Amino acid sequence: MTSHNNGGRHPASASDYVSVDELRDVQLRRLRAIVELAYDEVELFRQRMTNRGMAPGDVRGLADLAALPFTTKSDLRDTYPFGLFAKPMSDIVRLHASSGTTGKPIVVAYTQQDVEVWSSVMVRAFAGCGLHAGDIIHNAYGYGLFTGGLGAHYGGEALGATVIPVSGGNTERQLMLLKDFNVTAICCTPSYFLHLIERAGEIGMDFKSLPLQAGVFGAEPWTDGMRQYIQTHADIRAYDIYGLTEIIGPGVACECRQQTGLHIFEDHFYPEIIDPDTGEVLPDGHEGELVLTTLSKQAMPMIRYRTRDITTLTAGPCECGRTLRRMQRMGRRSDDMFIIRGVNVFPSQVETALLTVEGTLPHYQIVLTRQAGLDNIEVQVEVTPETFSDKVRTMTDLHARLSKAIEQVLNIRAAVRFVEPHTIPRSEGKAKRVVDKRHDS
């Protein structure tokens, strides 16, 4: 693999290197302004502040943020579509939405200033990954109401790179463009990139011969084992980017070339870690639920939004020189956990176990069922074509090793079933890892 730009600096990323004291001053000034905006213009927030006997003037320091009420995803659903907007529609230049599992989507709004902030943090994210104006970025995130496509697109153009708005689907055409357009960087979900690698092998394309050097992957949790798999099989550097529709979209945080955590652009998004059960704010270094407050978003300010993502915050400068706090890459959420026989299980734990055993592919699905009142877990795992056609003894040995690996990670026994290659459905967006059939029984 050829080396990529090492500098990671861009005029828009000067805020990544300011002193902590300067950063805290910016954060407090912006926090006080955004609390006042939300109080004046958003009825739900004003009511909750009033119920606590609070007014915007009570926020005198960053520590006072802990006294403010939380915002949750249900608040966005309950006020659908425009109930949390702080600006009139005449000031709104863009609406996005995430797909809703209960019918109604989550709707978010942007002023022109919000769009410019979004582009600037995406520039900082790309620069941290070593991308620069000479890159050709293949953007396979979905366009439309989903924030991923346009977020990466505007950021890539603001960086000065050439952006190819491919969106999702038509995998063979994507492979053709990766080769013919001399693409140097790609943006998509990690599960879709795995599909690209797999399909390239099937059509005889040598993926490692492509000029591709970097991948910026997000929109779903993925493990460090998955990163190693991608970097080995594609000969690129794989970076994790984090964002969520309710806050701004992609660009809330991103890894740098050190790959030692995701730098949060905390001059725009103030992070807290809380105990997910008590709501107590935890100090840096403790694992808990990430809570974010938008410090500059005008159209739809979010105050103490509970992300449900579990992580830790690390303070102190990174080897790259950035002074922004880093969060551990997301491996799980507090709300994608399921309980089997009293044990808390996260899909990422299964992925971690799978990637320690040779002969399996990083395509899996967890099927939950209930029989005679007892919950059961089955892990369906794709194996390589060579393994699937191998001797029964080899398959039996692999099954035993995999079952043991999963039990060691989960602390419970799970049924393991091998399936043929291409049996697990592929996704152009977020991979569906869990099929819960417990209510069907």
Side-chain angles (χ1 to χ4, degrees):
M1 181 175 70
T2 57
S3 81
H4 210 216
N5 183 318
N6 242 339
R9 286 189 181 251
H10 184 278
S13 61
S15 298
D16 296 354
Y17 302 91
V18 299
S19 71
V20 173
D21 287 342
E22 287 179 276
L23 177 60
R24 298 293 175 258
D25 287 344
V26 170
Q27 288 173 327
L28 179 57
R29 185 178 72 252
R30 290 179 174 175
L31 173 63
R32 296 183 69 175
I34 213 70
V35 167
E36 186 170 351
L37 173 65
Y39 184 89
D40 290 344
E41 304 297 339
V42 182
E43 182 181 358
L44 178 68
F45 183 68
R46 183 168 58 252
Q47 287 178 348
R48 288 180 176 173
M49 288 277 285
T50 301
N51 291 342
R52 292 182 175 222
M54 295 185 69
D58 295 326
V59 179
R60 299 182 181 91
L62 291 173
D64 295 326
L65 181 62
L68 300 180
F70 291 116
T71 307
T72 65
K73 182 169 285 191
S74 62
D75 293 330
L76 282 87
R77 293 197 181 105
D78 294 343
T79 56
Y80 173 89
F82 307 144
L84 295 183
F85 289 10
K87 294 291 181 180
M89 195 58 74
S90 57
D91 290 344
I92 305 297
V93 301
R94 177 100 62 84
L95 296 178
H96 276 287
S98 65
S99 57
T101 56
T102 58
K104 297 291 187 182
I106 299 300
V107 180
V108 293
Y110 302 77
T111 64
Q112 185 59 46
Q113 178 182 320
D114 295 336
V115 171
E116 290 168 3
V117 167
W118 191 9
S119 296
S120 74
V121 292
M122 283 300 300
V123 167
R124 292 160 66 179
F126 285 148
C129 299
L131 275 61
H132 52 80
D135 276 298
I136 300 174
I137 301 176
H138 181 104
N139 186 15
Y141 283 123
Y143 281 67
L145 289 177
F146 173 60
T147 56
L150 285 175
H153 186 111
Y154 273 60
E157 288 187 343
L159 180 72
T162 301
V163 181
I164 307 169
V166 182
S167 195
N170 203 337
T171 299
E172 289 192 23
R173 178 168 168 263
Q174 299 225 18
L175 291 170
M176 178 187 73
L177 297 180
L178 285 170
K179 179 181 178 182
D180 294 349
F181 287 7
N182 294 316
V183 170
T184 56
I186 186 169
C187 299
C188 63
T189 62
S191 56
Y192 187 61
F193 190 72
L194 289 176
H195 183 48
L196 288 171
I197 294 173
E198 181 181 61
R199 187 65 188 133
E202 292 169 358
I203 64 175
M205 175 187 283
D206 179 8
F207 210 97
K208 293 183 178 181
S209 70
L210 298 174
L212 192 65
Q213 298 175 29
V216 183
F217 304 118
E220 62 188 17
W222 53 301
T223 62
D224 202 55
M226 182 74 78
R227 187 217 300 277
Q228 298 306 321
Y229 184 94
I230 287 173
Q231 293 190 157
T232 299
H233 288 78
D235 198 20
I236 66 169
R237 295 272 285 180
Y239 299 101
D240 194 5
I241 189 169
Y242 175 78
L244 56 167
T245 300
E246 300 90 324
I247 298 300
I248 202 166
V252 172
C254 192
E255 288 183 315
C256 66
R257 287 183 57 81
Q258 300 299 319
Q259 295 178 321
T260 55
L262 290 82
H263 292 280
I264 301 176
F265 300 117
E266 54 177 320
D267 51 324
H268 293 291
F269 316 108
Y270 189 85
E272 300 173 273
I273 295 293
I274 66 167
D275 182 311
D277 296 322
T278 67
E280 176 192 2
V281 178
L282 303 175
D284 289 348
H286 285 67
E287 184 181 76
E289 179 184 339
L290 177 67
V291 172
L292 291 169
T293 296
T294 58
L295 296 179
S296 56
K297 196 166 186 199
Q298 299 297 301
M300 190 174 160
M302 284 282 108
I303 309 295
R304 303 197 79 200
Y305 183 77
R306 295 190 61 163
T307 68
R308 302 297 180 183
D309 290 316
I310 303 297
T311 188
T312 60
L313 292 181
T314 301
C318 176
E319 288 187 22
C320 72
R322 288 172 176 80
T323 52
L324 303 169
R325 277 181 286 182
R326 285 164 287 161
M327 68 180 191
Q328 183 182 353
R329 57 199 314 233
M330 297 298 175
R332 59 191 178 97
R333 290 172 52 83
S334 63
D335 58 357
D336 71 359
M337 179 187 78
F338 51 89
I339 302 174
I340 298 292
R341 298 189 286 280
V343 176
N344 296 344
V345 178
F346 292 88
S348 58
Q349 293 175 298
V350 174
E351 181 177 297
T352 297
L354 291 180
L355 289 167
T356 65
V357 180
E358 278 191 48
T360 61
L361 295 169
H363 299 293
Y364 66 95
Q365 203 159 55
I366 301 165
V367 180
L368 305 178
T369 57
R370 180 171 293 149
Q371 294 178 341
L374 295 176
D375 289 345
N376 298 293
I377 175 173
E378 178 183 83
V379 181
Q380 298 178 358
V381 187
E382 286 190 15
V383 292
T384 62
E386 299 79 17
T387 303
F388 200 82
S389 60
D390 217 330
K391 297 177 182 178
V392 173
R393 182 175 178 179
T394 303
M395 293 283 284
T396 303
D397 177 65
L398 178 61
H399 188 279
R401 287 189 291 121
L402 193 53
S403 297
K404 182 178 180 181
I406 291 175
E407 184 175 355
Q408 286 177 334
V409 172
L410 301 186
N411 293 316
I412 58 170
R413 290 188 179 181
V416 175
R417 182 159 71 91
F418 290 146
V419 297
E420 295 185 55
H422 313 296
T423 304
I424 304 295
R426 304 299 191 255
S427 172
E428 296 167 12
K430 299 182 182 182
K432 185 176 183 182
R433 297 301 193 194
V434 181
V435 177
D436 193 343
K437 297 181 177 180
R438 288 177 292 182
H439 299 294
D440 300 339
S441 305

